[in-house]
Amino acid sequence: MDILVLMKVVPDVVEELEVGSDGKSLDTSFLRTIINERDDHALEQALLLKDKHGGKVTLLTLDAPDIDDVLFTALAKGADRAVKICGVESVQSTQTAVKLFGETIAKTPGLLPVDLILTGVSAIDDLDGLMAAPIAQQLGWPYAGVVTQVALADKTATVIKEFAGGVRGEYEVPTPAVLGIQAAEKPPRYVPVAKVRAAMKSQTIESVDAPAVEAATTVEVQQMAKPQVTGHAEMLEGSPEEVADKICELLAKRGLL
Amino acid sequence: MAGNIWIIAEAWRGQVSEITFELLALGREVAGQAGAPLEAVLLGSNARELAQKLGAADSVLYADNAALADPVPENFATALAQLIKEKQPAAVLVPLTNLSVDVGVVLAAQLGVPFLNYCKDLKAEGGNLTATCVLYGGKMEATVTASAKPAIIGILPGARPVEQGRSDKAATITDVAVTLAAPKVHFKRYLESEAGDVDITQKDFLVAVGRGIQTKDNLDLAEDLAATLGGAVCGSRPVIDQGWLGLSRQVGKSGMLVKPKLYVMLGISGAPEHVEGMKGSQCIIAVNTDAAAPIFNVAHYGVVGDALEVAPALTEKIKARKG
């Protein structure tokens, strides 16, 4: 039972984000990136399936600053192989990323066959599309998205998809298939730094050259800006005790205490 | 602009979803700017009566097919692709719900066009569509032109008020036929919401926790505050994903829609997916260490500070007041 996990990094929104000098993209000079949270869940779901059924988990990602840390961490968690697509500038377009991943999967020896391709259902920078469905379309494989559980048996994945209000749906998906993961069945596992260091010494990250693909052009960013604030909270200042007093006052005024 | 403006109506278990009316309201503005008719498209099985609720559109296309009874995105996308090839709309507005987003992305993939995501506003200007899209968890907005034909655009919940898209006007419905083969993916059944210990949608006081709560142990601080207020604890996605709170306590896109009298937010940054579920709360107080957190644009009152310090202080003060 082999699984390919597609991952990418996204800006860490815990940090302050600034607009770059072109006015159309993020200022990358001090940008810190982290693994797309949903991709981290896709990795975890792959590892949970490996724990259960055995097989190999391969990671495929676009090269980016700090990507090696992400990949070694994933290897330390139990992934078997890590491949990065090199020679791409920071890819701003999900459509372009889809082409890069799709071509690489099809043309790189040894990436296929797999039973499943898992990737995060969405990312905070997915402006012109989501990854999983167009990759499935390119491969001619079935697709299911917003998935929170996966069980495998007899060339069929039984998946649970989230709707709203806590209602979910159960689907049967013939494998091989591409799944967009919303959340793994368990929180992404923790791996101690020592294990990551050990992975850095004992394992290698493979590089493949990016295939030549045409950049997507039908969605063009004219401007990027911090949201215009239409309303803003009335800010309460002071020590925690002073703030708590102020909150009590306003709750009392509203008849909430 | 050549071609109609389409909105894809969402029916969810026998009802037209509210977001459908939000899209009708937005679509009406865009159609006016483009000088094009607004057309709603409803796909379903024995759902023609729902099409009658879409009178805000100039016309409604209704496709009835037994294969559209269950939520199989592939079937809905294939049906829409057929209708799009035949009718050539200029733009197709798709609700960004868990139900419809998969229809939109599969449709875009089938047609080989981008799926413009996270759109909160849309205008037709000089033959082009200009969208405002929310990126990076609400920290940036991009103004984007979409030149694909058709442009498939995912519209965030809340783009326009629901009431603006409702109409008493009788809908002009045209029945259209779609041909669907057996899908690759099979729908088996719905799994109903897990019975929770409390129904957070019925509580007047909610204390919501997010990533900023840091550890499961710190949940106790929120529990104490909620108990003092006479309410319950709920959470945003990261807290549910960590397994710290059950699914029945999740507020947002996949979880519950809540409108309590008081919603106290501890360490929640305010990603659009969460805001969608709580923005109707009567009084929102947000505590977050990040002064630039988008939640401060939504909350009525804000505190830049450590929720782990503010929560216990507030609990003590309320206890003292209540005696």
Side-chain angles (χ1 to χ4, degrees):
Chain A
M1 215 277 315
D2 295 332
I3 302 175
L4 181 61
V5 181
L6 310 183
M7 308 197 304
K8 67 173 185 178
V9 293
V10 295
D12 186 351
V13 295
V14 170
E15 307 283 316
E16 190 63 19
L17 301 182
E18 298 295 340
V19 179
S21 54
D22 65 354
K24 298 179 179 184
S25 59
L26 287 185
D27 181 353
T28 53
S29 39
F30 299 104
L31 196 64
R32 222 182 70 179
T33 57
I34 53 167
I35 182 172
N36 170 31
E37 192 175 8
R38 302 287 139 232
D39 293 350
D40 204 17
H41 279 268
L43 166 64
E44 182 58 35
Q45 187 60 56
L47 294 172
L48 289 170
L49 289 167
K50 180 187 165 182
D51 292 345
K52 206 167 183 181
H53 302 282
K56 253 177 64 176
V57 172
T58 301
L59 315 165
L60 183 62
T61 183
L62 301 174
D63 196 11
D66 304 330
I67 195 70
D68 287 7
D69 290 347
V70 169
L71 291 174
F72 279 123
T73 303
L75 288 167
K77 285 180 176 183
D80 299 277
R81 183 183 174 202
V83 181
K84 60 180 177 183
I85 303 171
C86 293
V88 281
E89 291 288 305
S90 80
V91 177
Q92 305 277 346
S93 154
T94 304
Q95 280 284 300
T96 307
V98 163
K99 290 183 191 173
L100 288 167
F101 276 114
E103 290 275 310
T104 304
I105 292 167
K107 290 183 178 162
T108 307
L111 288 183
L112 296 181
V114 291
D115 300 277
L116 289 174
I117 294 178
L118 304 186
T119 191
V121 68
S122 61
I124 53 171
D125 62 351
D126 275 336
L127 175 62
D128 62 348
L130 303 181
M131 285 266 294
I135 298 256
Q137 182 76 21
Q138 281 185 22
L139 293 165
W141 292 7
Y143 158 78
V146 207
V147 169
T148 58
Q149 283 180 44
V150 185
L152 274 169
D154 297 335
K155 294 253 156 212
T156 302
T158 302
V159 307
I160 305 293
K161 173 196 166 91
E162 278 188 354
F163 294 118
V167 179
R168 295 162 298 147
E170 184 180 296
Y171 293 83
E172 277 182 5
V173 187
T175 59
V178 182
L179 304 180
I181 301 293
Q182 169 82 285
E185 286 155 40
K186 289 183 181 170
R189 62 194 66 189
Y190 171 75
V191 61
V193 178
K195 250 184 132 178
V196 178
R197 289 214 187 97
M200 285 175 172
K201 281 184 189 152
S202 63
Q203 292 179 275
T204 52
I205 293 168
E206 299 167 44
S207 298
V208 295
D209 289 334
V213 300
E214 223 173 282
T217 55
T218 47
V219 170
E220 198 182 334
V221 177
Q222 303 294 340
Q223 191 196 332
M224 188 174 288
K226 293 185 183 182
Q228 279 191 341
V229 177
T230 46
H232 197 278
E234 181 183 332
M235 300 308 285
L236 310 173
E237 290 170 1
S239 68
E241 285 71 27
E242 288 164 349
V243 162
D245 270 330
K246 289 177 184 174
I247 293 175
C248 279
E249 281 303 315
L250 64 93
L251 292 184
K253 243 189 240 171
R254 286 175 169 250
L256 292 172
L257 279 188
Chain B
M1 189 174 282
N4 293 356
I5 304 298
W6 276 16
I7 72 108
I8 306 306
E10 180 178 288
W12 170 238
R13 307 182 86 180
Q15 302 276 341
V16 176
S17 303
E18 289 201 338
I19 192 169
T20 301
F21 300 106
E22 299 174 6
L23 263 62
L24 280 167
L26 176 63
R28 169 53 64 205
E29 290 176 25
V30 176
Q33 292 152 358
L38 174 64
E39 198 156 53
V41 184
L42 178 69
L43 309 175
S45 175
N46 296 319
R48 200 174 193 279
E49 68 194 69
L50 297 182
Q52 287 161 0
K53 298 184 190 297
L54 308 175
D58 296 309
S59 55
V60 180
L61 299 179
Y62 173 61
D64 196 297
N65 191 303
L68 298 169
D70 292 326
V72 178
E74 183 187 340
N75 283 342
F76 283 73
T78 303
L80 284 172
Q82 287 171 19
L83 295 174
I84 286 169
K85 281 177 188 157
E86 189 187 325
K87 311 276 183 187
Q88 304 277 326
V92 180
L93 279 56
V94 180
L96 274 182
T97 59
N98 284 349
L99 180 62
S100 291
V101 69
D102 268 354
V103 176
V105 293
V106 174
L107 171 64
Q110 285 187 3
L111 296 175
V113 296
F115 178 79
L116 187 55
N117 201 15
Y118 301 138
C119 175
K120 70 165 221 187
D121 205 0
L122 187 65
K123 283 189 187 116
E125 295 175 318
N128 273 324
L129 288 165
T130 305
T132 306
C133 299
V134 178
L135 295 177
Y136 310 115
K139 286 216 157 178
M140 286 285 172
E141 286 180 6
T143 309
V144 176
T145 49
S147 57
K149 296 282 187 284
I152 313 285
I153 304 168
I155 308 293
L156 286 167
R160 291 293 181 275
V162 173
E163 288 314 312
Q164 208 177 311
R166 290 193 199 273
S167 172
D168 296 333
K169 224 177 70 184
T172 308
I173 305 169
T174 305
D175 291 287
V176 288
V178 291
T179 312
L180 296 170
K184 296 189 193 104
V185 173
H186 300 277
F187 177 78
K188 301 300 286 181
R189 60 183 174 137
Y190 286 107
L191 301 169
E192 299 303 327
S193 173
E194 288 171 6
D197 44 347
V198 291
D199 181 354
I200 57 171
T201 64
Q202 299 301 315
K203 292 283 177 186
D204 285 338
F205 298 87
L206 287 175
V207 177
V209 294
R211 207 187 297 272
I213 203 84
Q214 295 173 17
T215 68
K216 188 177 183 184
D217 290 345
N218 289 332
L219 265 182
D220 290 347
L221 301 175
E223 293 284 2
D224 288 346
L225 178 55
T228 307
L229 284 164
V233 171
C234 56
S236 62
R237 173 111 233 165
V239 175
I240 311 298
D241 284 352
Q242 285 297 327
W244 297 347
L245 286 174
L247 271 179
S248 62
R249 303 288 188 109
Q250 184 177 355
V251 172
K253 183 185 279 298
S254 303
M256 305 299 171
L257 181 68
V258 298
K259 294 177 179 174
K261 287 180 180 165
L262 176 65
Y263 195 76
V264 181
M265 308 176 75
L266 305 176
I268 296 180
S269 65
E273 294 81 5
H274 183 74
V275 171
E276 184 182 325
M278 49 60 71
K279 62 176 188 259
S281 304
Q282 289 173 32
C283 178
I284 302 166
I285 302 176
V287 185
N288 201 295
T289 50
D290 177 6
I295 196 58
F296 292 128
N297 302 332
V298 177
H300 301 103
Y301 300 95
V303 179
V304 178
D306 187 345
L308 304 179
E309 291 176 4
V310 175
L314 185 55
T315 304
E316 289 313 312
K317 299 281 181 190
I318 294 172
K319 271 185 188 163
R321 279 200 175 234
K322 287 191 167 176

